[in-house]
Amino acid sequence: MKYLIAGLGNIGAEYTETRHNIGFKVVDALAKAAGVAFETGRYGSVAELKYKGRTFILLKPSTYMNLSGKAVGYWLKTEKIPIENLFVVVDDIALPFGTLCIRGKGSDGGHNGLKNIAESLGHNNYARLRFGIGGDFPKGFQVDYVLGTWTKEEADALPERLDMAGEVIRSFATAGLERTMNAFNNK
């Protein structure tokens, strides 16, 4: 059984350590833990890993955040992955730093990456992991905040939260969405 795990972010060195790139960081950590490497593919970098009889196609779209749907749609079709096996990892300013929130469907919440995926798929009925990046910024400075880098405290706490996000992804594929939501939401 195949799963598409799409970590959203922006390509380019200037974005590597920004909050908006937490999706890339999560799939990078998952690939590193499994000892697999990303290769350049169409519309993104991809890595394949096996876990308990499942195949994960890890995707880091190269289309930039606002056009993530193009990469997600392409890899779903190319790998013949059903929509219920799509799991998108994205940053969320409405959640405190490090908080994980799993949903099976829902609105884009103003997130342009999720909005573009919904436009590409024609619906919002796909699972996503929202990774809290906090929202400690003055009104009107959201872009500067999400494209800003981690504080020292956040950077120090990040490895443990990335490990937890990896556990969520493995659980999604082995235990299913509902059990994963019950076990990990808001942890």
Side-chain angles (χ1 to χ4, degrees), residues 4-5 31 40-41 51 54 58 65 129 149 156 172 177 187:
L4 180 63
I5 312 301
T40 302
Y51 179 76
R54 277 90 170 158
L58 306 179
M65 184 69 76
L129 168 60
T149 57
D156 289 346
F172 171 74
L177 178 64
K187 296 224 170 158

Side-chain angles (χ1 to χ4, degrees), residues 22 25-27 29-30 33 87 89 97-102 129-132 157-172 180-187:
I22 194 63
K25 279 202 144 345
V26 167
V27 293
L30 196 56
F87 202 49
V89 183
F97 169 79
T99 301
L100 304 176
C101 183
I102 303 106
L129 168 60
R130 292 181 178 263
F131 190 112
L158 208 48
E160 185 271 331
R161 301 315 299 159
L162 292 172
D163 287 347
M164 180 69 74
E167 287 183 42
V168 168
I169 292 166
R170 289 186 291 272
S171 175
F172 171 74
T180 300
M181 286 171 35
N182 291 336
F184 292 98
N185 260 343
N186 298 314
K187 296 224 170 158

Side-chain angles (χ1 to χ4, degrees), residues 133-145:
I133 61 168
D136 188 20
F137 57 88
K139 187 174 175 94
F141 287 87
Q142 178 175 333
V143 172
D144 294 336
Y145 180 77

